[in-house]
Amino acid sequence: MKAVVFNGPGTLTLEDRARPEIGPDEILVRVQAAAICGTDLKIYRGGHFRVGEGDTRVLGHELAGDIVEIGGNVSYWRVGQRVSVVPNIGCGHCDMCRKGLNNMCPDYDAFGISIDGGFEEYMVVTPSAIFGGNLFEVPDSLDWEAAALVEPLSCCFNAWKNLSVSPEDRVLILGTGPIAGLFLMLAKAYGARQVIVVGRRATRLEEIAGLGATDTVDSSEVAVVDEVLRLTDGHGVDVALTAAPAPELQVQAMATLARYGRMNFFSGLNKGTKVEIDTNKVHYRGLKLLGSTGSSIEDYARSLRLVESGQIDVKAVITHRFGMDQAVSAFDHALAGKGMKTLILPQERNVA
Ligand SMILES: [Zn+2]
Ligand SMILES: [Zn+2]
């Protein structure tokens, strides 16, 4: 089978590998769709502390496929079932895991990070993932691509659920990538009265406006903070989310928050990058500055319902699809910031 293998920073190769053998407590999934995430690109560029020097890893944690083989000790699951995974597998016994926060486990395993992920034709689902509740059955109404994109939505939902968005809120999204698109759809689903998107490329802003933004701000043309204040009649926004790894977006988000505003620093910055915070503003304005990373099994289950019920059309953020023979160029395409979400279809050789 073909696999996209990460061999250290800047090195990604398409390899021929034997189809994995599974143990008695494992499941083999034929991967049908796997999406490239910012995290994959970050690992491709700079590596990851969970991928040691000399290690190789198949990246990819946003995926869906069908079960083709089941270990003798595994019950409930069956061959032919359509499945997707929550990538972060908790240790099961730390304080965070005890609270159901598998995404916050300090001793986690994760598909595409510490164990092989979805950019390969066949992927092993480990016993820890099966018994940890990380494997989900995909509802019939979802196709492979939609099922693969429940994962990034679940990470957005994890941030979203603590922002208490209601219909009277004005929401600001900084960034024009797929995460920004998913936040925009969440804002629409939750009935936010105004959704402003900030970006620095007109074409991307146009694309995202099509998903239902009420206003767009081109940061290459106007001063972002002034423009957001103008668009909100001087009030500022109730909720802000940064969806691109740029420190200036965090500064702009904090500067545009209205009294009692809430925000989430969703996109992490490069290691060592720091941003100044005016804590007096936090104090006198009663701001809530939040962060989040990954998603819990509960976040995933709830996001799956949002997609299954048709309230969030996750596929609207897909702009490009590639087959396995094109997988490395798919990465370079995504790295160049072209389009929104890039998908790899491991069962296809080439996608025109
Ligand atoms: Zn991801
Ligand atoms: Zn744990």
Side-chain angles (χ1 to χ4, degrees):
M1 67 164 192
K2 298 255 188 237
V4 185
V5 182
F6 168 74
N7 305 291
T11 326
L12 210 55
T13 48
L14 185 64
E15 286 183 9
D16 273 310
R17 286 187 164 187
R19 177 171 147 163
E21 306 271 343
I22 56 164
D25 298 305
E26 294 178 328
I27 285 176
L28 192 67
V29 167
R30 173 167 53 195
V31 185
Q32 299 284 357
I36 297 179
C37 168
T39 303
D40 296 312
L41 298 175
K42 215 170 169 178
I43 297 173
Y44 178 27
R45 267 198 311 254
H48 193 281
F49 74 99
R50 296 299 302 270
V51 189
E53 247 192 80
D55 280 359
T56 60
R57 185 79 66 242
V58 175
L59 304 181
H61 57 270
E62 306 176 354
L63 60 104
D66 48 338
I67 295 178
V68 288
E69 234 179 280
I70 294 201
N73 295 340
V74 179
S75 55
Y76 177 75
W77 299 99
R78 50 176 205 282
V79 168
Q81 239 169 342
R82 303 167 71 242
V83 292
S84 60
V85 298
V86 183
N88 281 61
I89 307 156
C91 71
H93 52 74
C94 72
D95 286 351
M96 290 293 112
C97 284
R98 295 291 188 213
K99 290 181 181 170
L101 298 170
N102 52 288
N103 55 317
M104 299 305 283
C105 174
D107 196 23
Y108 72 95
D109 261 321
F111 289 103
I113 294 176
S114 65
I115 54 178
D116 282 349
F119 299 133
E120 58 183 347
E121 287 178 60
Y122 295 92
M123 185 188 86
V124 176
V125 182
T126 58
S128 57
I130 299 167
F131 300 109
N134 290 68
L135 192 60
F136 272 74
E137 184 169 6
V138 173
D140 289 340
S141 58
L142 267 62
D143 63 18
W144 300 121
E145 298 183 352
L149 292 187
V150 173
E151 198 283 329
L153 178 66
S154 73
C155 299
C156 294
F157 182 79
N158 180 19
W160 190 259
K161 69 176 195 272
N162 292 319
L163 293 169
S164 315
V165 178
S166 63
E168 77 259 35
D169 286 331
R170 295 177 161 112
V171 177
L172 176 69
I173 298 163
L174 299 112
T176 53
I179 292 296
L182 294 172
F183 278 131
L184 172 52
M185 286 189 271
L186 278 167
K188 301 304 286 180
Y190 278 68
R193 67 163 152 159
Q194 189 178 14
V195 191
I196 306 167
V197 181
V198 175
R200 59 192 157 88
R201 269 181 279 184
T203 46
R204 295 293 290 273
L205 278 168
E206 237 167 74
E207 247 173 8
I208 209 160
L211 299 177
T214 47
D215 302 276
T216 55
V217 175
D218 185 341
S219 61
S220 67
E221 298 280 331
V222 293
V224 171
V225 175
D226 292 345
E227 182 64 4
V228 171
L229 290 174
R230 189 187 70 77
L231 288 168
T232 55
D233 305 320
H235 290 283
V237 296
D238 305 294
V239 171
L241 296 127
T242 58
E248 65 271 20
L249 300 187
Q250 297 190 348
V251 174
Q252 290 160 356
M254 288 188 280
T256 50
L257 283 178
R259 285 176 174 75
Y260 261 58
R262 293 90 69 192
M263 74 160 287
N264 186 296
F265 299 102
F266 187 84
S267 287
L269 304 182
N270 285 334
K271 211 173 167 181
T273 308
K274 296 207 168 84
V275 167
E276 223 171 67
I277 295 177
D278 180 352
T279 55
N280 254 346
K281 210 167 167 190
V282 179
H283 170 75
Y284 286 111
R285 294 191 156 224
L287 306 181
K288 280 187 185 152
L289 309 182
L290 308 173
S292 65
T293 180
S295 64
S296 68
I297 289 170
E298 183 191 346
D299 295 325
Y300 191 94
R302 294 173 71 183
S303 302
L304 187 58
R305 277 182 228 140
L306 288 173
V307 178
E308 189 187 7
S309 62
Q311 292 173 91
I312 306 275
D313 173 19
V314 282
K315 285 177 68 178
V317 299
I318 301 173
T319 48
H320 296 85
R321 295 167 177 84
F322 293 88
M324 239 4 202
D325 290 345
Q326 308 157 303
V328 176
S329 38
F331 260 81
D332 292 329
H333 169 92
L335 207 54
K338 291 179 189 156
M340 291 180 92
K341 200 67 165 169
T342 301
L343 239 64
I344 293 177
L345 305 173
Q347 302 305 318
E348 309 273 342
R349 295 266 77 90
N350 285 286
V351 178

